Amino acid sequence: MSGKTANVGIVIVSHSPLVAKGIADMVRQMVGDCVPLAWSGGNVHGELGTDAGGILRAIEAAWSDAGVAVFVDLGGAETNSEMAIEMLGLARAALVSICNAPLVEGAVIAAAEASGGASLAKVVATAEELSP
């Protein structure tokens, strides 16, 4: 999607494919198509878990030259997201941030912020304000 939009992309990562897809559906309904959006849920067998390769594909699908904000549900999702980001190479990895924010609320507020053209730093900061 590089060059297609100036808005920050959003990636949802959950151990559950249903949760990841459901949150992505909520985000899409809130902001429409102006924000690149993708999700990754479950392991390679379609069971509960996460998969670095699937997360990498989601980051690629939501890619924006403005950056990508990644939202994760549990520790394993964060670890596999970090591995996926490393696979991008240093230059592109610098444009991806894992947000320390509640999954649903964080993704929705981040997408709203991104839809207005906010920078990656602003998108992440706004979402992370929701953390306790």
Side-chain angles (χ1 to χ4, degrees):
M1 251 192 194
S2 182
K4 186 173 183 181
T5 179
N7 292 337
V8 169
I10 304 291
V11 171
I12 311 298
V13 180
S14 174
H15 282 69
S16 166
L18 294 173
V19 169
K21 183 181 183 312
I23 294 170
D25 288 344
M26 288 177 63
V27 169
R28 180 61 68 217
Q29 289 181 34
M30 298 294 284
V31 299
D33 293 327
C34 66
V35 173
L37 174 68
W39 60 271
S40 177
N43 64 21
V44 294
H45 305 292
E47 301 163 341
L48 291 180
T50 58
D51 169 54
I55 297 167
L56 177 61
R57 288 187 293 280
I59 292 170
E60 294 281 4
W63 185 258
S64 168
D65 291 340
V68 176
V70 179
F71 292 84
V72 300
D73 62 356
L74 299 169
E78 183 171 1
T79 301
N80 279 329
S81 293
E82 290 168 351
M83 290 178 11
I85 292 166
E86 287 177 13
M87 291 181 217
L88 290 168
L90 288 176
R92 293 180 73 205
L95 296 174
V96 182
S97 292
I98 298 174
C99 295
N100 180 21
L103 187 57
V104 176
E105 299 91 338
V108 169
I109 196 76
E113 194 73 30
S115 71
S119 69
L120 178 61
K122 178 66 173 163
V123 168
V124 171
T126 300
E128 289 183 345
E129 286 176 8
L130 299 172
S131 289

